[in-house]
Amino acid sequence: MTATRLRLWTTLIIAFVLFLLLRFGVTLYTDWLWFQSLNFERVYFTSLLARLAVFFGAGGPFAVIFLGNLILARWLSTRGELFLGQRRTLDLPVFGWLIWVTGLFLGWAVGAAAAPRWLDFLRFFNQVPFDVRDPIFNQDVSFYVFTLPVYHFTQGWLITTMLMTLIGVLSIYFFAQLHNLREGDVIVLPHVRLHASALGAALFAVVAWGHRLAAYDLLYSARGVAFGASYTDVRAELPALQAMFWLAVIIAGTLLANVILRRLWLPLIGVGVWMAVGVVIVGVVPGLMQRYIVEPNEVARETPYIEHNIRFTRQAYGLDNVDERDFGQVEPLTLEALEANRTTLQNVRLWDYRPLAQTYRQIQEIRLYYGFNDLDIDRYWINGDYRQVILAARELDQSQLQSVTWVNQHLQFTHGYGVVMNPVNEVTPEGLPQLWIKDLPPEISVPLTIDRPEIYYGEMTDNYVFVKTGIEEFDYPRGEENVYTFYEGTGGVPLNSYPKRLAFALRLADANVLLSQYINADSRLMFNRLIQDRVRLVAPFLQYDSDPYLAIMDGKLYWIQDAYTVSNRYPYAEPVSRDINYIRNAVKVVIDAYNGSMTFYIIDPTDPLVQTYSAIFPDLFTPQDAIPDSLRQHLRYPEGLFRIQATMYQTYHMRDVNVFYNKEDQWSIPREVFSGQDQPIEPYYVIIRLPGETESEGSLRGGEEFMLIQPFTPATKDNLIAWMAGRSDGEHYGELVVYRFPKQALIFGPLQIEARIDQNPEISAQLSLWSQRGSQVIRGNLLVIPLERSLLYVEPLYLQAESGQIPELKRVILASGERVVMAESLTDGLVKLFGAGASGIGAAEGEAPEAGPVITGELPPDLAQQVYDLARQAEEHYTAAQEALRAGDWATYGSELDAMEKVLKQMVEITGPLAQ
């Protein structure tokens, strides 16, 4: 019975191991096929071999050391005749098997825990210097970013190995003396003392190394007023760690000496002193120094360390190269300035992406199974004009399919189709966006071409599909019928053999991969289709912006994904999060929406991290010089990086230590009212010419550039203090510019403009009237737009019925200087602010404003009297409405406006026949 059970358990264990090997092997094989389909085989093998090397490099030596010492302890315990009973027990084969199983299991566990650190070792062996040295230890920053993590890992591995081995060895010796211990006898034999002392000496040598490494970690201390090693860390903590280092070395020496001296009390005293000194000089003394020496004279004590923090933080976030400029005295906006900035005014973003997303979904999703995940902002050359646009990919949402079958989900409904695009400033008479690209198949009214509108890879493609099968794929709906197609590209993994189909059937847990007759030798499997999943699988060592955006290039659709090299090991740099205190936008990833191919372009070749990754993965990256011009025209300053830099610059624009310490000039992100809610202003893209630059200095012929800007206000006030711009065009790509406003002048901030809008009687009355009539008023982004040495504030207003109908752009509010106006369009608002000379400035080039009918000649006397009487009536109704407004009588106010509207319509009817 026992033998039968043993055979059963053996069979179950073997079956389980084979299952794990099969599953692991299938995953490895299918992953390799996926990487092979992308021509990234070397990337896959490099990372796989590195993982295996670290696994065996950590687990193998641990097992050797652990097993070697335990086997030695067992042999030493069984060679004598002193403990005969225990000797015979230790001699049993099962005890030997127990030692081997324990050692191999622990070796596997250590290797498995170490394998995820494979990238640390690759970076260590391929590191590139930063050519920047820290001020305390004079080490290059590469030591902290690349070398120190490996040292810490190795030290931790040695501690684990020595400690586990010591515990195992002492367990063997304890078991060998178990009989004597039961009788109250304790005999420490010479070989036990020798063995334990040697392991203890090795353990304390590793502990000493840990104290040495801990000294370097002081450069990440948060003890002082600024991040990094402070006065207390350098003057108290660092000497304490040095003392602890030498104490640990001495203890290691006494443990070795104890092999000969055989005085157990000597190392025990050393360990006691080490622990006591650690509590006093590491735990107590630095606190006393901080409280009684540093805090009473904090500025004087911490000045050099604050300077280190400012300098290294600015380096880590790329703020040391910010081009800081004075905006100068804000001047009144003039008609001449408007004329000189036509391109900017023709690209003012009136369409806020949030209400526009609702509009897109209601008028362009076409079918339930289409969706728009996100709206993106970009710019294109249209008929010789530089135009800012909003566009979105029409992706397939399989969760909305009405008939959920395996064929529908994986063979027929495989891709989205086309894009929707509108200029940021054009509105139809109905208050909807003027769509340049719309409908299915795409109708394009501008000189852009899309030869491949199919979207197989995107932000909503979370299911695997098969293409080039025996059944046609659904392409797009057309009236009552559907258009079908066959895939013609090279995307996906070829399923040209039975082993591949079997492997993917196991990988996907889908037997239909084998059973379906539609899948043949020409078929291809597309999986990992979400673009952010794809890039992370290929390059997990990069961090990715949360907003990939779509671009139309050379007749095809491409996703552009910004990628960052990051570290949390830059000395003295203030962390923005737990994982980041250094960041660069070093890579742009371009993903073909049809084929799924990925190209990793290096955009910042000066970054040491991307240089290191290029050395590790030479076949992964494409150099900056190979970026095609069609792609360069669509590179954007990434919003994720810009937000981080703007956050850090709120504090780290201050370089004077006293100002920094007292936070005298702390900035913050201004706030605005959106859809009735107070919220921080988001960075926004604009096309402007930087103040002070001439037409020849910008990236375009008129000097205008596409850039991302963020205003700033003082920390406790609402007025503007500065604004930052991230440049995106031409040779200026990646540059940061900051304009500072004069501190002695009041420059209205967004929230102050919002308050002035609310205080304007006509605007507030109109908003209240709309709300009373059952419409929701949505106040869009308030944009602060620099024009020459002036500012223009623009806020669009949208109306949406409470029933959830389409948001319509109904008004545009403009503010400049002391005036705030509301009009039906940007052009009309400019005319209200600056007179008839501004007519047409806010319209796109080639689009003259529509001219209304003009009355020529003199009116007949009787008709002139009728017009006069009607005008008097309109004036009376207007006066009555204003009185009701001041009295807060909204019902009377609304009725008087309606009456005035009827009178004005009568005037139009009377004079209409005379107009031409």
Side-chain angles (χ1 to χ4, degrees):
M1 189 67 176
T2 303
T4 303
R5 288 183 176 181
L6 181 61
R7 285 195 298 269
L8 177 61
W9 278 105
T10 303
T11 303
L12 290 175
I13 293 173
I14 293 174
F16 179 70
V17 171
L18 290 176
F19 170 77
L20 292 178
L21 290 175
L22 177 63
R23 184 173 180 180
F24 183 65
V26 166
T27 301
L28 287 179
Y29 177 57
T30 51
D31 281 346
W32 175 73
L33 291 175
W34 186 76
F35 275 86
Q36 185 185 49
S37 70
L38 296 167
N39 295 319
F40 288 146
E41 303 100 311
R42 287 191 60 184
V43 175
Y44 175 72
F45 280 120
T46 298
S47 60
L48 176 61
L49 293 177
R51 286 182 173 92
L52 292 175
V54 175
F55 174 83
F56 288 107
F62 174 90
V64 169
I65 294 172
F66 183 85
L67 288 173
N69 279 273
L70 263 67
I71 292 171
L72 175 62
R74 183 191 180 203
W75 178 78
L76 291 173
S77 298
T78 57
R79 63 183 179 134
E81 299 294 332
L82 187 59
F83 308 107
L84 186 60
Q86 282 67 37
R87 181 180 68 80
R88 290 176 178 173
T89 302
L90 292 175
D91 274 339
L92 292 174
V94 67
F95 203 90
W97 279 107
L98 180 61
I99 291 175
W100 276 96
V101 169
T102 302
L104 293 176
F105 173 77
L106 290 177
W108 172 85
V110 169
R117 303 291 297 272
W118 61 275
L119 189 60
D120 287 343
F121 287 90
L122 289 181
R123 288 189 296 206
F124 173 77
F125 290 113
N126 294 274
Q127 61 182 276
V128 174
F130 280 71
D131 294 326
V132 176
R133 292 187 172 274
D134 80 271
I136 305 300
F137 301 105
N138 197 34
Q139 294 280 358
D140 189 271
V141 170
S142 59
F143 170 79
Y144 299 94
V145 175
F146 302 124
T147 303
L148 193 56
V150 173
Y151 285 179
H152 273 302
F153 169 82
T154 305
Q155 193 263 347
W157 178 85
L158 287 172
I159 286 285
T160 300
T161 302
M162 294 298 105
L163 191 59
M164 296 297 292
T165 301
L166 182 60
I167 292 173
V169 165
L170 292 179
S171 299
I172 296 290
Y173 291 134
F174 174 82
F175 190 80
Q177 285 209 52
L178 192 57
H179 179 73
N180 294 48
L181 291 173
R182 288 172 179 171
E183 296 179 357
D185 295 330
V186 178
I187 302 175
V188 180
L189 296 176
H191 66 267
V192 175
R193 183 183 295 108
L194 172 64
H195 201 172
S197 297
L199 288 175
L203 178 63
F204 265 91
V206 177
V207 169
W209 189 30
H211 291 314
R212 178 58 59 88
L213 296 180
Y216 295 113
D217 289 334
L218 293 177
L219 271 64
Y220 310 103
S221 170
R223 184 198 301 273
V225 294
F227 188 81
S230 65
Y231 180 91
T232 300
D233 293 318
V234 174
R235 299 300 181 91
E237 188 86 8
L238 181 58
L241 290 173
Q242 292 171 340
M244 295 293 289
F245 166 78
W246 287 112
L247 278 174
V249 170
I250 292 172
I251 293 171
T254 58
L255 284 168
L256 284 178
N258 191 55
V259 173
I260 300 174
L261 299 176
R262 301 182 182 182
R263 298 290 186 270
L264 185 60
W265 57 267
L266 192 59
L268 290 177
I269 291 176
V271 172
V273 171
W274 174 76
M275 295 176 64
V277 169
V279 170
V280 175
I281 69 173
V282 177
V284 178
V285 172
L288 294 175
M289 176 177 285
Q290 182 71 21
R291 174 63 184 87
Y292 295 104
I293 297 178
V294 176
E295 289 185 8
N297 307 281
E298 199 163 41
V299 177
R301 301 291 189 188
E302 299 284 15
T303 290
Y305 309 104
I306 295 175
E307 290 175 345
H308 300 331
N309 171 260
I310 294 173
R311 179 163 62 94
F312 279 84
T313 299
R314 289 173 62 88
Q315 290 173 2
Y317 295 98
L319 302 178
D320 54 332
N321 294 319
V322 172
D323 184 1
E324 298 179 347
R325 307 177 185 182
D326 290 327
F327 191 85
Q329 193 67 34
V330 177
E331 302 172 356
L333 189 57
T334 63
L335 188 59
E336 291 75 17
L338 296 182
E339 288 283 356
N341 291 274
R342 277 181 173 269
T343 300
T344 295
L345 294 171
Q346 290 159 4
N347 287 282
V348 173
R349 180 165 61 85
L350 302 181
W351 285 106
D352 189 294
Y353 68 91
R354 287 160 288 196
L356 183 61
Q358 299 181 50
T359 302
Y360 270 22
R361 293 186 183 107
Q362 296 199 42
I363 68 176
Q364 281 296 306
E365 284 189 348
I366 310 296
R367 293 288 189 272
L368 289 174
Y369 43 75
Y370 284 128
F372 297 102
N373 182 74
D374 190 20
L375 275 63
D376 301 315
I377 298 175
D378 202 356
R379 73 286 196 196
Y380 290 79
W381 285 98
I382 305 296
N383 294 321
D385 299 327
Y386 206 43
R387 302 299 303 275
Q388 187 176 186
V389 302
I390 299 176
L391 73 161
R394 185 185 291 105
E395 298 194 56
L396 184 70
D397 184 1
Q398 289 196 348
S399 66
Q400 298 300 317
L401 290 176
Q402 299 301 299
S403 176
V404 182
T405 66
W406 188 85
V407 171
N408 277 350
Q409 286 188 310
H410 301 291
L411 301 182
Q412 283 204 305
F413 287 85
T414 57
H415 58 275
Y417 201 90
V419 301
V420 180
M421 175 189 287
N422 71 281
V424 296
N425 66 320
E426 294 188 17
V427 188
T428 68
E430 296 79 20
L432 300 178
Q434 184 70 51
L435 299 179
W436 281 353
I437 304 178
K438 62 181 180 179
D439 297 342
L440 294 171
E443 294 182 11
I444 305 176
S445 58
V446 291
L448 292 173
T449 59
I450 303 178
D451 300 322
R452 279 294 178 195
E454 300 92 344
I455 301 174
Y456 285 87
Y457 300 86
E459 297 179 280
M460 299 174 66
T461 48
D462 57 354
N463 196 10
Y464 61 92
V465 297
F466 300 89
V467 296
K468 293 189 176 182
T469 64
I471 188 172
E472 290 181 313
E473 301 171 46
F474 167 77
D475 207 20
Y476 60 89
R478 183 171 59 190
E480 299 298 323
E481 300 179 352
N482 292 330
V483 177
Y484 293 88
T485 187
F486 283 104
Y487 182 71
E488 299 177 355
T490 59
V493 179
L495 298 177
N496 50 10
S497 68
Y498 186 81
K500 290 182 180 180
R501 291 179 64 175
L502 175 61
F504 279 109
L506 294 172
R507 170 72 179 267
L508 303 173
D510 189 346
N512 288 327
V513 179
L514 289 175
L515 301 176
S516 176
Q517 296 181 359
Y518 294 119
I519 299 176
N520 53 53
D522 295 324
S523 299
R524 306 176 78 91
L525 167 62
M526 294 181 176
F527 71 115
N528 297 329
R529 294 195 298 147
L530 287 172
I531 55 177
Q532 291 209 319
D533 288 349
R534 292 176 71 78
V535 294
R536 286 191 175 96
L537 286 169
V538 173
F541 44 85
L542 299 175
Q543 288 203 8
Y544 296 93
D545 194 273
S546 61
D547 183 26
Y549 60 99
L550 193 69
I552 303 171
M553 297 185 293
D554 303 323
K556 297 186 66 176
L557 302 179
Y558 292 91
W559 296 97
I560 301 176
Q561 172 70 67
D562 285 287
Y564 307 119
T565 52
V566 301
S567 176
N568 61 353
R569 303 296 299 174
Y570 203 91
Y572 267 111
E574 182 77 29
V576 72
S577 68
R578 180 179 179 180
D579 299 322
I580 299 175
N581 78 341
Y582 171 92
I583 186 169
R584 290 291 186 273
N585 176 216
V587 178
K588 302 278 188 180
V589 190
V590 179
I591 305 103
D592 188 324
Y594 187 70
N595 288 322
S597 60
M598 293 176 280
T599 306
F600 290 73
Y601 290 104
I602 292 179
I603 199 70
D604 183 5
T606 64
D607 173 42
L609 274 169
V610 82
Q611 293 177 24
T612 298
Y613 293 139
S614 296
I616 298 171
F617 305 104
D619 295 338
L620 176 60
F621 297 101
T622 300
Q624 185 181 35
D625 296 341
I627 298 177
D629 291 338
S630 58
L631 173 58
R632 290 185 185 276
Q633 294 177 9
H634 295 284
L635 297 182
R636 304 188 318 188
Y637 202 103
E639 187 174 340
L641 172 63
F642 189 78
R643 285 175 180 268
I644 290 175
Q645 290 175 318
T647 298
M648 301 308 297
Y649 200 76
Q650 294 173 46
T651 300
Y652 285 92
H653 69 276
M654 298 179 286
R655 281 170 284 183
D656 181 271
V657 171
N658 286 316
V659 174
F660 182 93
Y661 175 81
N662 294 303
K663 299 296 185 286
E664 297 174 20
D665 195 21
Q666 181 75 27
W667 295 352
S668 65
I669 302 297
R671 305 186 72 81
E672 64 171 346
V673 176
F674 173 78
S675 191
Q677 301 295 323
D678 182 76
Q679 65 177 32
I681 279 189
E682 299 178 352
Y684 48 92
Y685 290 99
V686 293
I687 293 178
I688 63 173
R689 183 170 68 239
L690 290 176
E693 291 198 354
T694 63
E695 294 186 1
S696 61
E697 290 180 297
S699 298
L700 306 182
R701 61 173 181 267
E704 292 85 0
E705 301 176 49
F706 182 73
M707 59 184 67
L708 185 61
I709 70 174
Q710 174 70 71
F712 294 109
T713 61
T716 58
K717 297 181 180 179
D718 294 327
N719 59 287
L720 287 181
I721 192 67
W723 57 277
M724 173 184 282
R727 307 173 79 168
S728 299
D729 286 338
E731 62 184 10
H732 297 299
Y733 174 82
E735 296 178 4
L736 281 178
V737 183
V738 171
Y739 283 87
R740 295 173 179 259
F741 293 111
K743 292 185 179 181
Q744 66 275 13
L746 173 63
I747 313 299
F748 288 120
L751 210 55
Q752 293 170 321
I753 294 295
E754 298 279 16
R756 292 179 61 196
I757 292 172
D758 293 335
Q759 294 165 5
N760 185 290
E762 294 184 14
I763 297 176
S764 60
Q766 184 63 67
L767 298 182
S768 299
L769 185 61
W770 277 330
S771 298
Q772 288 182 353
R773 291 182 175 179
S775 296
Q776 179 187 2
V777 179
I778 302 173
R779 295 167 68 161
N781 282 129
L782 194 152
L783 307 179
V784 183
I785 302 175
L787 298 173
E788 305 290 344
R789 296 294 177 181
S790 307
L791 296 176
L792 178 67
Y793 304 84
V794 181
E795 181 176 81
L797 291 181
Y798 310 89
L799 284 187
Q800 184 177 25
E802 290 184 354
S803 59
Q805 295 180 1
I806 302 172
E808 298 176 356
L809 177 58
K810 287 301 184 184
R811 295 291 187 272
V812 179
I813 298 176
L814 302 180
S816 178
E818 299 297 327
R819 298 192 62 194
V820 178
V821 300
M822 182 171 69
E824 293 187 1
S825 68
L826 178 65
T827 298
D828 291 345
L830 293 174
V831 170
K832 279 189 174 184
L833 284 174
F834 302 100
S839 177
I841 290 180
E845 292 184 16
E847 296 180 4
E850 295 182 5
V854 179
I855 298 177
T856 60
E858 296 183 359
L859 293 175
D862 58 338
L863 189 58
Q865 184 62 43
Q866 292 183 46
V867 172
Y868 176 75
D869 292 340
L870 291 171
R872 289 294 300 271
Q873 293 179 38
E875 182 184 19
E876 291 173 0
H877 288 303
Y878 176 76
T879 302
Q882 293 300 307
E883 292 176 356
L885 173 63
R886 286 189 288 272
D889 186 353
W890 300 109
T892 303
Y893 175 79
S895 63
E896 291 294 339
L897 287 182
D898 291 340
M900 184 177 67
E901 182 182 9
K902 292 179 181 178
V903 172
L904 294 175
K905 287 182 178 179
Q906 293 179 35
M907 293 177 63
V908 172
E909 291 174 359
I910 292 174
T911 58
L914 301 176
Q916 62 182 25

